[in-house]
């Protein structure tokens, strides 16, 4: 844990290396003392249809899923770190947002296949 999902306006992937951005996010999170690198998951997907306010613009939204129990200062530090990576990598994108979501440990389930 954590999981980061990037949603971005379709077309950004034609101008930017989304895999490189995923790798940059991974590196930043892997350096954080809260996480073990092998538990970090980053996913990205274009959004074909969207509407943002009254002006047409591009967007990137990152959702950071964390297990419950992390304090607000840590959560804020992580969302700011993600925002900084995205802002540096995508300076012309009109809207960049990051949201953290706390997951309930009791209701989270996973299956990991062996080697």
């Amino acid at each position: 844990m954590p999981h980061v999902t990037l949603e971005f306006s379709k077309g950004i992937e034609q101008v930017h290396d989304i895999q490189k951005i995923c790798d940059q996010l991974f590196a930043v999170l892997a350096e954080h003392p809260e996480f073990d690198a092998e538990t970090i998951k980053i996913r990205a997907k274009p959004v074909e249809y969207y509407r943002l306010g009254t002006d047409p613009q591009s967007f990137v939204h990152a959702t950071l899923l964390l297990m419950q129990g992390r304090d607000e200062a840590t959560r804020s530090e992580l969302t700011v770190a993600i925002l900084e990576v995205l802002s540096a990598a995508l300076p012309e994108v009109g809207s960049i947002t990051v949201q953290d979501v706390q997951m309930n440990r009791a209701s989270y389930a996973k299956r990991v296949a062996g080697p």
Side-chain angles (χ1 to χ4, degrees):
M1 191 54 71
H3 295 231
V4 176
T5 302
L6 298 178
E7 297 174 299
F8 56 90
S9 49
K10 187 173 171 116
I12 288 177
E13 76 281 6
Q14 295 174 8
V15 185
H16 293 281
D17 185 344
I18 300 299
Q19 183 60 57
K20 181 178 177 181
I21 294 169
C22 290
D23 293 342
Q24 291 170 337
L25 288 170
F26 182 91
V28 165
L29 293 176
E31 290 176 5
H32 200 280
E34 287 281 320
F35 309 122
D36 294 321
E38 63 271 1
T39 65
I40 298 168
K41 296 165 183 68
I42 313 277
R43 299 174 184 95
K45 56 186 173 185
V47 176
E48 189 166 354
Y49 306 104
Y50 59 91
R51 177 69 187 253
L52 303 175
T54 58
D55 295 323
Q57 60 179 295
S58 56
F59 77 92
V60 174
H61 176 73
T63 301
L64 170 64
L65 297 175
L66 296 168
M67 279 298 175
Q68 65 190 52
R70 295 205 170 74
D71 61 48
E72 190 171 321
T74 300
R75 293 183 1 245
S76 178
E77 177 185 331
L78 292 166
T79 56
V80 167
I82 291 169
L83 182 63
E84 287 174 352
V85 168
L86 296 175
S87 295
L90 304 161
E92 77 291 345
V93 169
S95 173
I96 300 175
T97 54
V98 182
Q99 173 188 15
D100 79 288
V101 176
Q102 292 190 71
M103 298 170 57
N104 184 328
R105 192 175 305 276
S107 62
Y108 177 74
K110 72 176 180 178
R111 177 201 163 274
V112 179

